[in-house]
Amino acid sequence: LGRKIVQSTLAKGGMDPVVENVWVIRRMGYSYEENPDGIAMLLSRGSPLGSISFDVDHKRGRKKQKTKYIPTYNLEDILKGILQGLESNRLAQMIQPDELAVVRPLEMVLKQCFEEKGKTAPTVHWYPPASEEESAFATFGNQNNI
């Protein structure tokens, strides 16, 4: 999938030259109750480029344990989402997933695949999940059409 991302990026003439264009991957909720369907959005400049579906049931057994279960996507899910975003957009120079566990693996895959073609990969940084205040505002705003 990483090589397909590189191939698509090069076919479009390289990455988006606008440095401020960042792709953010944001889950639609951070608990099973908030996001039972396992959906994350690929966003650019605040607008959706596509959605990423992930399996929320692969760790459902954790709900029975004392640890808090947070449904999330994996590396393969995010690579597929990036490919979907590339169907009608140029790749951003920075990608920011909100799942810390995929930051380093994504960075390594992209770096290796881009370097194989003598190109620089996009940077990958963590995008922290919404704060309680931001989540409350989003919920309040949706309920009141603000």
Side-chain angles (χ1 to χ4, degrees):
L1 292 172
R3 288 182 180 96
K4 287 182 180 180
I5 290 170
V6 174
Q7 183 180 21
S8 182
T9 300
L10 296 178
K12 293 184 179 299
M15 287 188 277
D16 189 335
V18 179
V19 177
E20 295 81 14
N21 183 18
V22 174
W23 283 12
V24 173
I25 295 103
R26 189 92 184 239
R27 285 171 278 172
M28 299 302 293
Y30 295 90
S31 71
Y32 185 80
E33 290 75 23
E34 292 173 342
N35 197 1
D37 297 323
I39 298 173
M41 297 300 295
L42 176 61
L43 304 165
S44 175
R45 299 179 185 152
S47 298
L49 299 180
S51 63
I52 298 170
S53 296
F54 55 90
D55 180 10
V56 297
D57 294 323
H58 69 285
K59 294 182 184 174
R60 185 179 275 183
R62 286 192 178 178
K63 288 179 71 179
K64 297 175 185 173
Q65 299 174 3
K66 293 182 180 181
T67 58
K68 185 176 179 184
Y69 168 67
I70 301 173
T72 192
Y73 45 81
N74 61 31
L75 179 61
E76 184 177 353
D77 298 327
I78 202 169
L79 291 171
K80 289 177 181 177
I82 291 170
L83 276 173
Q84 179 186 1
L86 283 169
E87 289 175 6
S88 57
N89 301 279
R90 291 175 78 178
L91 184 63
Q93 294 182 37
M94 183 182 295
I95 300 171
Q96 292 188 286
D98 69 353
E99 173 53 61
L100 187 57
V102 300
V103 170
R104 184 75 175 128
L106 177 62
E107 179 181 51
M108 291 171 54
V109 165
L110 292 177
K111 182 177 181 186
Q112 177 184 343
C113 293
F114 273 86
E115 284 180 354
E116 287 174 1
K117 296 292 185 181
K119 302 294 181 183
T120 302
T123 57
V124 180
H125 294 285
W126 181 53
Y127 190 85
S131 66
E132 288 184 31
E133 293 85 3
E134 184 180 355
S135 295
F137 179 78
T139 301
F140 177 77
N142 289 336
Q143 291 174 349
N144 294 293
N145 297 320
I146 293 177

